[in-house]
Amino acid sequence: MKFTIVREEFLKGLLNTSKIILGKNSDPILNNVRLDLFEDRLEIVATNGEMSIKSIILKYKDDKTLIRDLVPGSILINARMITEIIRKLDSDEVNFVIEDSSTAKIQTLKSTFNLNVIKASEYRELDFDENGEKITLSRNEFTNCISQTSFSASNKDNRPVLQCVNIESDTKNISFTATDGARLGRRIVELPLENRFSINVPAKSVNEVVKSLNNEKEIEIFINEKKVLFKLEDSIITSTIVAGDYPNTKNIIPHNYFYRLEVNSNEFLKTLDRIVIFSIDRENIVKLTMNEDEVNVSSRSQQVGDAKESLQLFKYSGDRLQISFNVDYVSNAIRALKSDDVVLSFLGEMKPFTITRKADDKVIQLITPVRTY
Amino acid sequence: MKFTIVREEFLKGLLNTSKIILGKNSDPILNNVRLDLFEDRLEIVATNGEMSIKSIILKYKDDKTLIRDLVPGSILINARMITEIIRKLDSDEVNFVIEDSSTAKIQTLKSTFNLNVIKASEYRELDFDENGEKITLSRNEFTNCISQTSFSASNKDNRPVLQCVNIESDTKNISFTATDGARLGRRIVELPLENRFSINVPAKSVNEVVKSLNNEKEIEIFINEKKVLFKLEDSIITSTIVAGDYPNTKNIIPHNYFYRLEVNSNEFLKTLDRIVIFSIDRENIVKLTMNEDEVNVSSRSQQVGDAKESLQLFKYSGDRLQISFNVDYVSNAIRALKSDDVVLSFLGEMKPFTITRKADDKVIQLITPVRTY
């Protein structure tokens, strides 16, 4: 096995794959990437048990030769080491040769690194087969489906399904939903499909897919009972599916409201960010006091004092209402909506409330308030 | 006490002072800054016991009014809170009023913060008197004296004097020296003074002084038996002096050599940075192998493999020599010298070696090697 490769492309592939195994791996063999060199491409493969990535570097791309002088083969190599070496070399091209089965010689004109390697057969068998239900989403739609929901998944080790984004098809629409029990994010995409399904994909996995996006126009997703596979431009990512029923969230989301507040996202976010300074006794909780003439954000701390600010830009309809909430939940929800103006709809002081874009309701954010003191 | 102040100037003063008290303070009163408002200026004072800072904001600066509507007074206010408030407000000016002796009202058109405050008399008495031996250094010289030495001070809690920069006058020159026992940095400045002295100033303190520099052309330093005081443009910083004899370092620094290596700083640093990747078994240690034809940097690890690189740019005189050293020590020393070319002078494999600028030897870096295996 040997090849000469454009350093920058090799580095990109190594960074893209090795990022999922940089933490602690229970099995030390997973600290390696597998390099599979074929006549027409180099594949770099990594897995952390939960998700797997394959980066593909083609021999020729856009009339440029990225890999030359190649003799096919496969090898396992320490991900951190090979990435560090390729990152720090200051040469346009790098030579890679397996001289005996236990050492890779990585060379430029100035530098020689002899790095211990392991036989490829020691690695786990991975399934990158594209089979099952196929969904195609535009890059923009896919990114929104993930980034507008996944932050609401739980990051605590409680129920594994709550750490997931649920992807569900009712044959007419696909919905992406995440909830940690105190808040929920959902985006619905109109997309006719033959089969119903509902799968739970770890939020970590789908977030990695978004981070791996390059110049894709579309993302192809293949779903079967064992795994979900995301096909990107230069890489393929698979993730396990978490077994278990996702909570029935449909009846949680209210469809009507008694109080409606429209705010300018930017002003509201800045106000929350200031007033939350004084929320020391109750972590990150502020109070919203609304009537048709005035909307105030306030907080009070025994220890520090009190703070109050009036919104300049708002429309409110409904009776006077006081409601308290976690600023992080509301701020993250509003930022995810990516809308200049957002609408908060309330049913009552202690009822979950929704935040939606003023223009459409494709995506809905639901927040549980806390008791006002 | 009340004033209206340009927000940006107030924030600059708060950041400059509060930065030294953001860690843990044994005495909770030290979590406050003292605001002393006079007819012509606002002073913001903070201390962590070891060092103290006073930031001065003048009422008028360059024909601009920075403070108006003022009624003098003094108060203690939580440093983190007031800094956060002033940072996040989005107004050009801020009103500050002490309404009763326990609350400060901080106001803009939109926002009102009522922040609990403490009587100024509760604070420690601080000595900002400018007395003792006076030294004046150009900003550039002062910065070099600190940044080229202080990183060699110990950051472990062993002997307190080793955590200091030693400043010594022999009446002709002033020297700045720091050493942790394994390396040493010294810069000498020609500066006739009447008195001999030798003081130990915590490296943390002098580093804070450098970070506090603004548009200074000169720094005035006042040294007496109790404290050292640094007078900057908009602020005054004092630091305690650490008692105890500084190690006699004069005889450690060799004045001759048997081997001399001149390298290009940039090439050498990059080579070290690459080769150290393989120094896993022995933390950050690489080997330098020199003869007049070739200079190699190499490392070897049982676990990972071996790495080697030949320097392209070098001049070497002397017999063949192998020497091993900590890459961090050598890299930090070379970076501190800020010179395109540096000279490494050796007496032997296990003798401390020096690194100096090619052009002059005002500053000398001394490194103890480690045994080569």
Side-chain angles (χ1 to χ4, degrees), chain A residues 81 88 111-112 114 116 280 303-304 306 308-309, chain B residues 81 111-112 114 116 273 280 303-304 306 308-309:
Chain A
M81 283 294 151
K88 288 184 174 177
S111 322
T112 305
N114 294 305
N116 298 342
I280 306 241
Q303 200 188 328
V304 178
D306 55 79
K308 198 173 96 171
E309 191 165 316
Chain B
M81 283 294 152
S111 320
T112 305
N114 293 305
N116 298 342
D273 187 41
I280 306 242
Q303 200 188 326
V304 178
D306 56 78
K308 199 173 96 170
E309 189 164 318

mmCIF file with all atom_site columns, all heavy atoms in Angstrom, chain A residues 81 88 111-112 114 116 280 303-304 306 308-309, chain B residues 81 111-112 114 116 273 280 303-304 306 308-309:
data_model
loop_
_atom_site.group_PDB
_atom_site.id
_atom_site.type_symbol
_atom_site.label_atom_id
_atom_site.label_alt_id
_atom_site.label_comp_id
_atom_site.label_asym_id
_atom_site.label_entity_id
_atom_site.label_seq_id
_atom_site.pdbx_PDB_ins_code
_atom_site.Cartn_x
_atom_site.Cartn_y
_atom_site.Cartn_z
_atom_site.occupancy
_atom_site.B_iso_or_equiv
_atom_site.pdbx_formal_charge
_atom_site.auth_seq_id
_atom_site.auth_comp_id
_atom_site.auth_asym_id
_atom_site.auth_atom_id
_atom_site.pdbx_PDB_model_num
ATOM 1   N N   . MET A 1 81  ? -2.514  10.872 15.921 1.00 0.00 ? 81  MET A N   1
ATOM 2   C CA  . MET A 1 81  ? -1.146  11.021 15.430 1.00 0.00 ? 81  MET A CA  1
ATOM 3   C C   . MET A 1 81  ? -1.105  11.409 13.949 1.00 0.00 ? 81  MET A C   1
ATOM 4   O O   . MET A 1 81  ? -0.442  12.355 13.569 1.00 0.00 ? 81  MET A O   1
ATOM 5   C CB  . MET A 1 81  ? -0.405  9.686  15.610 1.00 0.00 ? 81  MET A CB  1
ATOM 6   C CG  . MET A 1 81  ? 0.023   9.432  17.021 1.00 0.00 ? 81  MET A CG  1
ATOM 7   S SD  . MET A 1 81  ? 1.273   10.642 17.506 1.00 0.00 ? 81  MET A SD  1
ATOM 8   C CE  . MET A 1 81  ? 0.955   10.713 19.244 1.00 0.00 ? 81  MET A CE  1
ATOM 9   N N   . LYS A 1 88  ? 0.606   19.432 10.587 1.00 0.00 ? 88  LYS A N   1
ATOM 10  C CA  . LYS A 1 88  ? 1.791   20.251 10.838 1.00 0.00 ? 88  LYS A CA  1
ATOM 11  C C   . LYS A 1 88  ? 2.818   20.224 9.714  1.00 0.00 ? 88  LYS A C   1
ATOM 12  O O   . LYS A 1 88  ? 3.722   21.077 9.688  1.00 0.00 ? 88  LYS A O   1
ATOM 13  C CB  . LYS A 1 88  ? 2.440   19.802 12.149 1.00 0.00 ? 88  LYS A CB  1
ATOM 14  C CG  . LYS A 1 88  ? 1.617   20.207 13.372 1.00 0.00 ? 88  LYS A CG  1
ATOM 15  C CD  . LYS A 1 88  ? 2.303   19.847 14.653 1.00 0.00 ? 88  LYS A CD  1
ATOM 16  C CE  . LYS A 1 88  ? 1.525   20.404 15.858 1.00 0.00 ? 88  LYS A CE  1
ATOM 17  N NZ  . LYS A 1 88  ? 2.145   19.998 17.126 1.00 0.00 ? 88  LYS A NZ  1
ATOM 18  N N   . SER A 1 111 ? 10.944  15.932 6.102  1.00 0.00 ? 111 SER A N   1
ATOM 19  C CA  . SER A 1 111 ? 10.570  15.202 7.316  1.00 0.00 ? 111 SER A CA  1
ATOM 20  C C   . SER A 1 111 ? 10.283  13.734 7.030  1.00 0.00 ? 111 SER A C   1
ATOM 21  O O   . SER A 1 111 ? 9.763   13.389 5.969  1.00 0.00 ? 111 SER A O   1
ATOM 22  C CB  . SER A 1 111 ? 9.305   15.797 7.940  1.00 0.00 ? 111 SER A CB  1
ATOM 23  O OG  . SER A 1 111 ? 9.298   17.193 7.841  1.00 0.00 ? 111 SER A OG  1
ATOM 24  N N   . THR A 1 112 ? 10.605  12.903 7.995  1.00 0.00 ? 112 THR A N   1
ATOM 25  C CA  . THR A 1 112 ? 10.244  11.487 7.928  1.00 0.00 ? 112 THR A CA  1
ATOM 26  C C   . THR A 1 112 ? 9.610   11.069 9.248  1.00 0.00 ? 112 THR A C   1
ATOM 27  O O   . THR A 1 112 ? 10.234  11.220 10.302 1.00 0.00 ? 112 THR A O   1
ATOM 28  C CB  . THR A 1 112 ? 11.495  10.617 7.704  1.00 0.00 ? 112 THR A CB  1
ATOM 29  O OG1 . THR A 1 112 ? 12.163  11.087 6.535  1.00 0.00 ? 112 THR A OG1 1
ATOM 30  C CG2 . THR A 1 112 ? 11.106  9.149  7.514  1.00 0.00 ? 112 THR A CG2 1
ATOM 31  N N   . ASN A 1 114 ? 7.986   7.680  10.994 1.00 0.00 ? 114 ASN A N   1
ATOM 32  C CA  . ASN A 1 114 ? 7.667   6.253  10.941 1.00 0.00 ? 114 ASN A CA  1
ATOM 33  C C   . ASN A 1 114 ? 6.652   5.965  12.031 1.00 0.00 ? 114 ASN A C   1
ATOM 34  O O   . ASN A 1 114 ? 6.975   6.018  13.216 1.00 0.00 ? 114 ASN A O   1
ATOM 35  C CB  . ASN A 1 114 ? 8.928   5.418  11.155 1.00 0.00 ? 114 ASN A CB  1
ATOM 36  C CG  . ASN A 1 114 ? 9.919   5.590  10.015 1.00 0.00 ? 114 ASN A CG  1
ATOM 37  O OD1 . ASN A 1 114 ? 9.565   5.379  8.858  1.00 0.00 ? 114 ASN A OD1 1
ATOM 38  N ND2 . ASN A 1 114 ? 11.144  6.000  10.324 1.00 0.00 ? 114 ASN A ND2 1
ATOM 39  N N   . ASN A 1 116 ? 3.750   3.596  13.847 1.00 0.00 ? 116 ASN A N   1
ATOM 40  C CA  . ASN A 1 116 ? 3.255   2.238  14.013 1.00 0.00 ? 116 ASN A CA  1
ATOM 41  C C   . ASN A 1 116 ? 1.815   2.112  13.511 1.00 0.00 ? 116 ASN A C   1
ATOM 42  O O   . ASN A 1 116 ? 1.001   3.007  13.752 1.00 0.00 ? 116 ASN A O   1
ATOM 43  C CB  . ASN A 1 116 ? 3.296   1.830  15.488 1.00 0.00 ? 116 ASN A CB  1
ATOM 44  C CG  . ASN A 1 116 ? 4.715   1.836  16.029 1.00 0.00 ? 116 ASN A CG  1
ATOM 45  O OD1 . ASN A 1 116 ? 5.681   1.816  15.256 1.00 0.00 ? 116 ASN A OD1 1
ATOM 46  N ND2 . ASN A 1 116 ? 4.855   1.858  17.343 1.00 0.00 ? 116 ASN A ND2 1
ATOM 47  N N   . ILE A 1 280 ? -29.894 35.605 40.195 1.00 0.00 ? 280 ILE A N   1
ATOM 48  C CA  . ILE A 1 280 ? -28.848 34.824 40.841 1.00 0.00 ? 280 ILE A CA  1
ATOM 49  C C   . ILE A 1 280 ? -29.474 33.768 41.723 1.00 0.00 ? 280 ILE A C   1
ATOM 50  O O   . ILE A 1 280 ? -29.110 32.610 41.695 1.00 0.00 ? 280 ILE A O   1
ATOM 51  C CB  . ILE A 1 280 ? -27.975 35.740 41.717 1.00 0.00 ? 280 ILE A CB  1
ATOM 52  C CG1 . ILE A 1 280 ? -27.447 36.885 40.897 1.00 0.00 ? 280 ILE A CG1 1
ATOM 53  C CG2 . ILE A 1 280 ? -26.904 34.951 42.427 1.00 0.00 ? 280 ILE A CG2 1
ATOM 54  C CD1 . ILE A 1 280 ? -25.988 36.963 40.808 1.00 0.00 ? 280 ILE A CD1 1
ATOM 55  N N   . GLN A 1 303 ? -29.963 38.952 47.108 1.00 0.00 ? 303 GLN A N   1
ATOM 56  C CA  . GLN A 1 303 ? -28.552 39.211 47.331 1.00 0.00 ? 303 GLN A CA  1
ATOM 57  C C   . GLN A 1 303 ? -28.067 40.458 46.589 1.00 0.00 ? 303 GLN A C   1
ATOM 58  O O   . GLN A 1 303 ? -27.277 41.240 47.090 1.00 0.00 ? 303 GLN A O   1
ATOM 59  C CB  . GLN A 1 303 ? -27.811 37.979 46.794 1.00 0.00 ? 303 GLN A CB  1
ATOM 60  C CG  . GLN A 1 303 ? -26.418 37.762 47.296 1.00 0.00 ? 303 GLN A CG  1
ATOM 61  C CD  . GLN A 1 303 ? -25.778 36.607 46.508 1.00 0.00 ? 303 GLN A CD  1
ATOM 62  O OE1 . GLN A 1 303 ? -26.443 35.657 46.082 1.00 0.00 ? 303 GLN A OE1 1
ATOM 63  N NE2 . GLN A 1 303 ? -24.489 36.700 46.311 1.00 0.00 ? 303 GLN A NE2 1
ATOM 64  N N   . VAL A 1 304 ? -28.589 40.663 45.384 1.00 0.00 ? 304 VAL A N   1
ATOM 65  C CA  . VAL A 1 304 ? -27.988 41.651 44.483 1.00 0.00 ? 304 VAL A CA  1
ATOM 66  C C   . VAL A 1 304 ? -28.856 42.884 44.285 1.00 0.00 ? 304 VAL A C   1
ATOM 67  O O   . VAL A 1 304 ? -28.371 44.014 44.301 1.00 0.00 ? 304 VAL A O   1
ATOM 68  C CB  . VAL A 1 304 ? -27.697 41.002 43.117 1.00 0.00 ? 304 VAL A CB  1
ATOM 69  C CG1 . VAL A 1 304 ? -27.121 42.044 42.174 1.00 0.00 ? 304 VAL A CG1 1
ATOM 70  C CG2 . VAL A 1 304 ? -26.739 39.831 43.267 1.00 0.00 ? 304 VAL A CG2 1
ATOM 71  N N   . ASP A 1 306 ? -32.626 44.463 42.087 1.00 0.00 ? 306 ASP A N   1
ATOM 72  C CA  . ASP A 1 306 ? -33.621 44.160 41.069 1.00 0.00 ? 306 ASP A CA  1
ATOM 73  C C   . ASP A 1 306 ? -33.348 44.926 39.790 1.00 0.00 ? 306 ASP A C   1
ATOM 74  O O   . ASP A 1 306 ? -32.678 45.954 39.789 1.00 0.00 ? 306 ASP A O   1
ATOM 75  C CB  . ASP A 1 306 ? -35.033 44.448 41.594 1.00 0.00 ? 306 ASP A CB  1
ATOM 76  C CG  . ASP A 1 306 ? -35.165 45.865 42.091 1.00 0.00 ? 306 ASP A CG  1
ATOM 77  O OD1 . ASP A 1 306 ? -35.323 46.773 41.257 1.00 0.00 ? 306 ASP A OD1 1
ATOM 78  O OD2 . ASP A 1 306 ? -35.070 46.074 43.319 1.00 0.00 ? 306 ASP A OD2 1
ATOM 79  N N   . LYS A 1 308 ? -35.151 45.968 35.740 1.00 0.00 ? 308 LYS A N   1
ATOM 80  C CA  . LYS A 1 308 ? -36.384 46.050 34.963 1.00 0.00 ? 308 LYS A CA  1
ATOM 81  C C   . LYS A 1 308 ? -36.137 46.759 33.646 1.00 0.00 ? 308 LYS A C   1
ATOM 82  O O   . LYS A 1 308 ? -35.366 47.709 33.579 1.00 0.00 ? 308 LYS A O   1
ATOM 83  C CB  . LYS A 1 308 ? -37.441 46.820 35.764 1.00 0.00 ? 308 LYS A CB  1
ATOM 84  C CG  . LYS A 1 308 ? -38.856 46.598 35.270 1.00 0.00 ? 308 LYS A CG  1
ATOM 85  C CD  . LYS A 1 308 ? -39.865 47.247 36.183 1.00 0.00 ? 308 LYS A CD  1
ATOM 86  C CE  . LYS A 1 308 ? -40.242 48.613 35.637 1.00 0.00 ? 308 LYS A CE  1
ATOM 87  N NZ  . LYS A 1 308 ? -41.367 49.197 36.378 1.00 0.00 ? 308 LYS A NZ  1
ATOM 88  N N   . GLU A 1 309 ? -36.778 46.282 32.621 1.00 0.00 ? 309 GLU A N   1
ATOM 89  C CA  . GLU A 1 309 ? -36.657 46.947 31.328 1.00 0.00 ? 309 GLU A CA  1
ATOM 90  C C   . GLU A 1 309 ? -37.970 46.833 30.563 1.00 0.00 ? 309 GLU A C   1
ATOM 91  O O   . GLU A 1 309 ? -38.624 45.793 30.580 1.00 0.00 ? 309 GLU A O   1
ATOM 92  C CB  . GLU A 1 309 ? -35.511 46.299 30.537 1.00 0.00 ? 309 GLU A CB  1
ATOM 93  C CG  . GLU A 1 309 ? -35.133 47.072 29.297 1.00 0.00 ? 309 GLU A CG  1
ATOM 94  C CD  . GLU A 1 309 ? -33.789 46.647 28.737 1.00 0.00 ? 309 GLU A CD  1
ATOM 95  O OE1 . GLU A 1 309 ? -32.827 46.465 29.516 1.00 0.00 ? 309 GLU A OE1 1
ATOM 96  O OE2 . GLU A 1 309 ? -33.702 46.485 27.522 1.00 0.00 ? 309 GLU A OE2 1
ATOM 97  N N   . MET B 1 81  ? -20.971 42.145 38.964 1.00 0.00 ? 81  MET B N   1
ATOM 98  C CA  . MET B 1 81  ? -22.297 42.648 38.620 1.00 0.00 ? 81  MET B CA  1
ATOM 99  C C   . MET B 1 81  ? -22.233 43.971 37.861 1.00 0.00 ? 81  MET B C   1
ATOM 100 O O   . MET B 1 81  ? -22.840 44.124 36.809 1.00 0.00 ? 81  MET B O   1
ATOM 101 C CB  . MET B 1 81  ? -23.122 42.849 39.908 1.00 0.00 ? 81  MET B CB  1
ATOM 102 C CG  . MET B 1 81  ? -23.652 41.575 40.487 1.00 0.00 ? 81  MET B CG  1
ATOM 103 S SD  . MET B 1 81  ? -24.854 40.846 39.360 1.00 0.00 ? 81  MET B SD  1
ATOM 104 C CE  . MET B 1 81  ? -24.641 39.148 39.784 1.00 0.00 ? 81  MET B CE  1
ATOM 105 N N   . SER B 1 111 ? -33.539 50.915 30.682 1.00 0.00 ? 111 SER B N   1
ATOM 106 C CA  . SER B 1 111 ? -33.282 49.919 31.728 1.00 0.00 ? 111 SER B CA  1
ATOM 107 C C   . SER B 1 111 ? -33.041 50.567 33.077 1.00 0.00 ? 111 SER B C   1
ATOM 108 O O   . SER B 1 111 ? -32.479 51.661 33.167 1.00 0.00 ? 111 SER B O   1
ATOM 109 C CB  . SER B 1 111 ? -32.033 49.097 31.384 1.00 0.00 ? 111 SER B CB  1
ATOM 110 O OG  . SER B 1 111 ? -31.976 48.796 30.022 1.00 0.00 ? 111 SER B OG  1
ATOM 111 N N   . THR B 1 112 ? -33.456 49.863 34.123 1.00 0.00 ? 112 THR B N   1
ATOM 112 C CA  . THR B 1 112 ? -33.175 50.292 35.490 1.00 0.00 ? 112 THR B CA  1
ATOM 113 C C   . THR B 1 112 ? -32.638 49.114 36.283 1.00 0.00 ? 112 THR B C   1
ATOM 114 O O   . THR B 1 112 ? -33.307 48.078 36.384 1.00 0.00 ? 112 THR B O   1
ATOM 115 C CB  . THR B 1 112 ? -34.451 50.796 36.184 1.00 0.00 ? 112 THR B CB  1
ATOM 116 O OG1 . THR B 1 112 ? -35.025 51.813 35.381 1.00 0.00 ? 112 THR B OG1 1
ATOM 117 C CG2 . THR B 1 112 ? -34.126 51.355 37.567 1.00 0.00 ? 112 THR B CG2 1
ATOM 118 N N   . ASN B 1 114 ? -31.301 48.235 40.111 1.00 0.00 ? 114 ASN B N   1
ATOM 119 C CA  . ASN B 1 114 ? -31.057 48.657 41.492 1.00 0.00 ? 114 ASN B CA  1
ATOM 120 C C   . ASN B 1 114 ? -30.118 47.638 42.120 1.00 0.00 ? 114 ASN B C   1
ATOM 121 O O   . ASN B 1 114 ? -30.510 46.493 42.363 1.00 0.00 ? 114 ASN B O   1
ATOM 122 C CB  . ASN B 1 114 ? -32.368 48.727 42.267 1.00 0.00 ? 114 ASN B CB  1
ATOM 123 C CG  . ASN B 1 114 ? -33.256 49.833 41.734 1.00 0.00 ? 114 ASN B CG  1
ATOM 124 O OD1 . ASN B 1 114 ? -32.832 50.986 41.660 1.00 0.00 ? 114 ASN B OD1 1
ATOM 125 N ND2 . ASN B 1 114 ? -34.465 49.488 41.338 1.00 0.00 ? 114 ASN B ND2 1
ATOM 126 N N   . ASN B 1 116 ? -27.455 46.371 45.028 1.00 0.00 ? 116 ASN B N   1
ATOM 127 C CA  . ASN B 1 116 ? -27.034 46.556 46.418 1.00 0.00 ? 116 ASN B CA  1
ATOM 128 C C   . ASN B 1 116 ? -25.576 47.000 46.493 1.00 0.00 ? 116 ASN B C   1
ATOM 129 O O   . ASN B 1 116 ? -24.739 46.497 45.754 1.00 0.00 ? 116 ASN B O   1
ATOM 130 C CB  . ASN B 1 116 ? -27.193 45.239 47.192 1.00 0.00 ? 116 ASN B CB  1
ATOM 131 C CG  . ASN B 1 116 ? -28.642 44.782 47.249 1.00 0.00 ? 116 ASN B CG  1
ATOM 132 O OD1 . ASN B 1 116 ? -29.561 45.568 47.011 1.00 0.00 ? 116 ASN B OD1 1
ATOM 133 N ND2 . ASN B 1 116 ? -28.839 43.511 47.549 1.00 0.00 ? 116 ASN B ND2 1
ATOM 134 N N   . ASP B 1 273 ? 7.945   21.797 16.516 1.00 0.00 ? 273 ASP B N   1
ATOM 135 C CA  . ASP B 1 273 ? 6.514   21.582 16.680 1.00 0.00 ? 273 ASP B CA  1
ATOM 136 C C   . ASP B 1 273 ? 6.058   20.291 16.000 1.00 0.00 ? 273 ASP B C   1
ATOM 137 O O   . ASP B 1 273 ? 5.153   19.606 16.480 1.00 0.00 ? 273 ASP B O   1
ATOM 138 C CB  . ASP B 1 273 ? 5.777   22.787 16.083 1.00 0.00 ? 273 ASP B CB  1
ATOM 139 C CG  . ASP B 1 273 ? 4.286   22.739 16.342 1.00 0.00 ? 273 ASP B CG  1
ATOM 140 O OD1 . ASP B 1 273 ? 3.906   22.377 17.463 1.00 0.00 ? 273 ASP B OD1 1
ATOM 141 O OD2 . ASP B 1 273 ? 3.513   23.076 15.428 1.00 0.00 ? 273 ASP B OD2 1
ATOM 142 N N   . ILE B 1 280 ? 5.992   10.979 23.101 1.00 0.00 ? 280 ILE B N   1
ATOM 143 C CA  . ILE B 1 280 ? 4.864   10.612 23.957 1.00 0.00 ? 280 ILE B CA  1
ATOM 144 C C   . ILE B 1 280 ? 5.389   10.013 25.255 1.00 0.00 ? 280 ILE B C   1
ATOM 145 O O   . ILE B 1 280 ? 4.972   10.363 26.341 1.00 0.00 ? 280 ILE B O   1
ATOM 146 C CB  . ILE B 1 280 ? 4.000   9.556  23.261 1.00 0.00 ? 280 ILE B CB  1
ATOM 147 C CG1 . ILE B 1 280 ? 3.598   10.068 21.905 1.00 0.00 ? 280 ILE B CG1 1
ATOM 148 C CG2 . ILE B 1 280 ? 2.844   9.148  24.133 1.00 0.00 ? 280 ILE B CG2 1
ATOM 149 C CD1 . ILE B 1 280 ? 2.145   10.229 21.711 1.00 0.00 ? 280 ILE B CD1 1
ATOM 150 N N   . GLN B 1 303 ? 5.783   3.475  21.708 1.00 0.00 ? 303 GLN B N   1
ATOM 151 C CA  . GLN B 1 303 ? 4.384   3.248  21.434 1.00 0.00 ? 303 GLN B CA  1
ATOM 152 C C   . GLN B 1 303 ? 4.008   3.639  20.006 1.00 0.00 ? 303 GLN B C   1
ATOM 153 O O   . GLN B 1 303 ? 3.207   2.970  19.352 1.00 0.00 ? 303 GLN B O   1
ATOM 154 C CB  . GLN B 1 303 ? 3.605   4.120  22.430 1.00 0.00 ? 303 GLN B CB  1
ATOM 155 C CG  . GLN B 1 303 ? 2.189   3.767  22.686 1.00 0.00 ? 303 GLN B CG  1
ATOM 156 C CD  . GLN B 1 303 ? 1.552   4.861  23.542 1.00 0.00 ? 303 GLN B CD  1
ATOM 157 O OE1 . GLN B 1 303 ? 2.196   5.490  24.406 1.00 0.00 ? 303 GLN B OE1 1
ATOM 158 N NE2 . GLN B 1 303 ? 0.297   5.131  23.290 1.00 0.00 ? 303 GLN B NE2 1
ATOM 159 N N   . VAL B 1 304 ? 4.600   4.731  19.515 1.00 0.00 ? 304 VAL B N   1
ATOM 160 C CA  . VAL B 1 304 ? 4.104   5.348  18.290 1.00 0.00 ? 304 VAL B CA  1
ATOM 161 C C   . VAL B 1 304 ? 5.046   5.170  17.104 1.00 0.00 ? 304 VAL B C   1
ATOM 162 O O   . VAL B 1 304 ? 4.612   4.886  15.991 1.00 0.00 ? 304 VAL B O   1
ATOM 163 C CB  . VAL B 1 304 ? 3.859   6.853  18.532 1.00 0.00 ? 304 VAL B CB  1
ATOM 164 C CG1 . VAL B 1 304 ? 3.387   7.525  17.273 1.00 0.00 ? 304 VAL B CG1 1
ATOM 165 C CG2 . VAL B 1 304 ? 2.852   7.042  19.653 1.00 0.00 ? 304 VAL B CG2 1
ATOM 166 N N   . ASP B 1 306 ? 8.999   6.707  15.244 1.00 0.00 ? 306 ASP B N   1
ATOM 167 C CA  . ASP B 1 306 ? 10.054  7.709  15.329 1.00 0.00 ? 306 ASP B CA  1
ATOM 168 C C   . ASP B 1 306 ? 9.898   8.747  14.235 1.00 0.00 ? 306 ASP B C   1
ATOM 169 O O   . ASP B 1 306 ? 9.259   8.518  13.210 1.00 0.00 ? 306 ASP B O   1
ATOM 170 C CB  . ASP B 1 306 ? 11.429  7.050  15.275 1.00 0.00 ? 306 ASP B CB  1
ATOM 171 C CG  . ASP B 1 306 ? 11.609  6.197  14.041 1.00 0.00 ? 306 ASP B CG  1
ATOM 172 O OD1 . ASP B 1 306 ? 11.859  6.762  12.962 1.00 0.00 ? 306 ASP B OD1 1
ATOM 173 O OD2 . ASP B 1 306 ? 11.483  4.948  14.164 1.00 0.00 ? 306 ASP B OD2 1
ATOM 174 N N   . LYS B 1 308 ? 11.982  12.286 12.283 1.00 0.00 ? 308 LYS B N   1
ATOM 175 C CA  . LYS B 1 308 ? 13.271  12.954 12.075 1.00 0.00 ? 308 LYS B CA  1
ATOM 176 C C   . LYS B 1 308 ? 13.122  14.047 11.038 1.00 0.00 ? 308 LYS B C   1
ATOM 177 O O   . LYS B 1 308 ? 12.392  13.888 10.072 1.00 0.00 ? 308 LYS B O   1
ATOM 178 C CB  . LYS B 1 308 ? 14.315  11.943 11.603 1.00 0.00 ? 308 LYS B CB  1
ATOM 179 C CG  . LYS B 1 308 ? 15.748  12.415 11.801 1.00 0.00 ? 308 LYS B CG  1
ATOM 180 C CD  . LYS B 1 308 ? 16.731  11.321 11.470 1.00 0.00 ? 308 LYS B CD  1
ATOM 181 C CE  . LYS B 1 308 ? 17.211  11.479 10.053 1.00 0.00 ? 308 LYS B CE  1
ATOM 182 N NZ  . LYS B 1 308 ? 18.348  10.588 9.734  1.00 0.00 ? 308 LYS B NZ  1
ATOM 183 N N   . GLU B 1 309 ? 13.834  15.138 11.261 1.00 0.00 ? 309 GLU B N   1
ATOM 184 C CA  . GLU B 1 309 ? 13.814  16.205 10.271 1.00 0.00 ? 309 GLU B CA  1
ATOM 185 C C   . GLU B 1 309 ? 15.163  16.915 10.255 1.00 0.00 ? 309 GLU B C   1
ATOM 186 O O   . GLU B 1 309 ? 15.760  17.152 11.303 1.00 0.00 ? 309 GLU B O   1
ATOM 187 C CB  . GLU B 1 309 ? 12.684  17.193 10.614 1.00 0.00 ? 309 GLU B CB  1
ATOM 188 C CG  . GLU B 1 309 ? 12.437  18.207 9.545  1.00 0.00 ? 309 GLU B CG  1
ATOM 189 C CD  . GLU B 1 309 ? 11.093  18.925 9.700  1.00 0.00 ? 309 GLU B CD  1
ATOM 190 O OE1 . GLU B 1 309 ? 10.075  18.273 10.017 1.00 0.00 ? 309 GLU B OE1 1
ATOM 191 O OE2 . GLU B 1 309 ? 11.082  20.135 9.528  1.00 0.00 ? 309 GLU B OE2 1
#
